[in-house]
Amino acid sequence: MLGTGGAGIPTIGSVFPENGATDVSVLTTLRVKFSVELDHTSVPEAVSLRVGSREIRTKMILHDLKVLHLEPTDPLDFGTTYRVIVETSLRSRSGKPLSEQQSWDFTTEGTPPPSPAQDSLEANLEALAHDSMMGRGSGTGEEYLAATYLRDRFNAYGLNPPPGGHLQSFQALSRKTDSLLSSQNVLGVVPGSGDLADEWLVVGAHYDHIGLREQADGTMGINNGADDNGSGTVLMLEMARVFKAYVAAGGMPTPHRRSVLFAAFGAEEEGLLGSCHYAFQSPSVPISTTRAMLNFDMVGRLRDRVLLLRGFESSNEWANMVVNANSPGLILFDPLPCEYCSDFACFRDQGVPYLFFSTGGHQQYHSPADDVERINFTGLREVGEVGLRVVIRLAVMPEAPTPLWGGDQIGRPG
């Protein structure tokens, strides 16, 4: 017997947030109360949370078959209007459908997430990938010149120095030549607030490249490394500028927010030396309180709108989060794993969940032809939009991504 609870045509009795509500918390759980008990199998396809035509991933929990809770899998965007839609495919337990589609809107607190500025990306890449930088070879004077440029940008953008200062000098053996080289990481901080201030996120990119190399004709060629990894460096730098300004302007009006360390790593081309020095020897903030690492390496050649993302195996939270953060509508593709292909590896080996953003390889890789004129700046900005929305979600979500492994399960690079 179905009983009277599931009989009749379903109607919506009340909703939270109400239609037209503003200043709704980005951490809110949506509630919909129905007049009759529902056929629970009809709910997932009938009910959705949307921004425009884009569906937001949620967890749906039906209490007593009448009260539906929609829990977004990660924080909503600030300052954004959302729509809840209930389709006529929703059925009561007796099988009767909703008579007509229902929908209502609400707007979250704060201001919309900002986007990277293309002119800023272009200006910084023109400086870092200029011939005067001589290819930013690991351990060279030109790499140091690039480091001071980045330090000055951090200062101009108002980022705080971490303990030990913006420049973190180190010496390490090249894993390619076994020679000792001197390099430096460049670090800047946007402090958090409230109960989450002592937890950290790292947003990183390596800024060195391969410098001068002899060409087939015997001449020395300058390898400017506009994509590898000038693109990731300037995107990290622009994300630091935009995120700092966003926080300072009150765009994220929440009392609890994680601190963010923006990092430009040196000597990556010689075997991830800068990031491994930071992660294993001299972390400016405790690795034990580092909740996630986002790594950007070769993100300047977006083609066919495909963004490569690695790291889903490091935490179950990533898949839903990157889909919800994908406001530009890029095609997200998880390629084959790479063990030690970029700076995320040193954090992964310490048990930190990571995401590795890239737009993939190309024929100009490690050649003098990897120059600024080949960079897709529109695509670079769109990659940054996704990255910024992930950082903002990570900053305010009450529980950080849960790592799926521990640091002792994976060995350091040999």
Side-chain angles (χ1 to χ4, degrees):
M1 295 292 291
L2 292 175
T4 58
I9 297 173
T11 61
I12 296 174
S14 63
V15 299
F16 176 84
E18 295 180 352
N19 185 35
T22 58
D23 293 324
V24 175
S25 170
V26 297
L27 304 177
T28 196
T29 294
L30 286 64
R31 296 192 298 274
V32 188
K33 186 174 182 180
F34 294 92
S35 59
V36 297
E37 294 178 356
L38 302 178
D39 174 358
H40 67 91
T41 64
S42 72
V43 172
E45 293 298 324
V47 184
S48 61
L49 176 65
R50 296 178 176 272
V51 175
S53 61
R54 192 163 59 91
E55 185 170 352
I56 303 303
R57 294 190 176 184
T58 61
K59 300 175 184 176
M60 298 188 186
I61 303 171
L62 190 59
H63 296 273
D64 299 325
L65 294 181
K66 283 188 176 182
V67 180
L68 177 64
H69 286 193
L70 278 78
E71 298 179 359
T73 57
D74 46 86
L76 300 174
D77 282 321
F78 288 92
T80 299
T81 298
Y82 289 85
R83 172 165 290 183
V84 182
I85 299 176
V86 184
E87 308 279 359
T88 55
S89 55
L90 184 77
R91 301 183 304 274
S92 70
R93 279 211 300 156
S94 63
K96 294 183 178 179
L98 188 73
S99 58
E100 60 180 356
Q101 183 189 88
Q102 302 287 312
S103 66
W104 60 96
D105 299 337
F106 65 90
T107 303
T108 52
E109 61 192 330
T111 59
S115 297
Q118 190 161 320
D119 58 351
S120 181
L121 292 168
E122 291 176 357
N124 283 323
L125 191 55
E126 288 282 358
L128 287 173
H130 193 269
D131 281 353
S132 62
M133 289 288 186
M134 303 293 284
R136 308 182 308 278
S138 305
T140 65
E142 289 78 22
E143 187 202 42
Y144 179 77
L145 182 63
T148 60
Y149 178 89
L150 295 169
R151 176 201 61 196
D152 293 346
R153 291 294 87 202
F154 278 158
N155 280 326
Y157 299 159
L159 272 71
N160 295 352
H166 282 304
L167 290 183
Q168 182 187 66
S169 299
F170 64 90
Q171 289 188 317
L173 285 175
S174 165
R175 292 195 174 94
K176 293 183 177 179
T177 65
D178 284 332
S179 59
L180 185 68
L181 58 78
S182 299
S183 184
Q184 53 284 310
N185 298 322
V186 192
L187 311 171
V189 167
V190 178
S193 61
D195 294 343
L196 297 177
D198 291 334
E199 297 186 17
W200 288 85
L201 311 173
V202 174
V203 180
H206 78 89
Y207 69 95
D208 64 307
H209 192 50
I210 61 173
L212 292 172
R213 292 269 179 102
E214 185 175 356
Q215 306 305 299
D217 61 3
T219 63
M220 299 299 289
I222 301 175
N223 296 271
N224 285 321
D227 189 30
D228 183 20
N229 184 34
S231 63
T233 302
V234 300
L235 187 55
M236 177 277 299
L237 194 61
E238 179 64 2
M239 290 172 65
R241 182 190 71 82
V242 170
F243 184 76
K244 169 65 178 180
Y246 188 46
V247 169
M252 304 166 61
T254 54
H256 309 296
R257 176 172 42 80
R258 290 181 178 84
S259 301
V260 184
L261 177 82
F262 292 90
F265 295 116
E268 186 268 357
E269 298 287 357
E270 296 297 316
L272 316 182
L273 301 188
S275 55
C276 281
H277 173 82
Y278 178 94
F280 285 100
Q281 298 181 43
S282 298
S284 296
V285 298
I287 287 292
S288 62
T289 60
T290 300
R291 302 304 185 216
M293 193 273 182
L294 271 59
N295 184 57
F296 296 84
D297 197 344
M298 295 181 66
V299 287
R301 301 286 288 276
L302 188 72
R303 288 150 289 183
D304 301 320
R305 302 194 60 73
V306 176
L307 172 61
L308 307 182
L309 279 167
R310 291 183 171 96
F312 294 108
E313 78 286 353
S314 68
S315 180
N316 285 330
E317 282 86 347
W318 288 136
N320 288 326
M321 188 181 299
V322 297
V323 169
N324 287 343
N326 186 20
S327 63
L330 300 180
I331 299 168
L332 307 179
F333 180 70
D334 180 13
L336 292 173
C338 60
E339 285 298 303
Y340 295 103
C341 59
S342 193
D343 293 304
F344 70 86
C346 307
F347 291 84
R348 176 203 62 199
D349 288 3
Q350 289 283 55
V352 178
Y354 75 95
L355 279 178
F356 172 25
F357 294 71
S358 180
T359 54
H362 44 76
Q363 290 183 343
Q364 294 77 39
Y365 173 72
H366 280 197
S367 83
D370 182 9
D371 273 323
V372 173
E373 59 266 21
R374 295 182 183 272
I375 297 297
N376 177 355
F377 281 101
T378 299
L380 182 59
R381 177 179 53 78
E382 290 181 315
V383 174
E385 286 183 21
V386 179
L388 273 168
R389 287 170 186 258
V390 171
V391 170
I392 291 167
R393 283 165 166 76
L394 288 170
V396 300
M397 59 195 297
E399 298 295 329
T402 303
L404 292 180
W405 50 33
D408 59 350
Q409 294 175 283
I410 302 173
R412 291 185 61 183

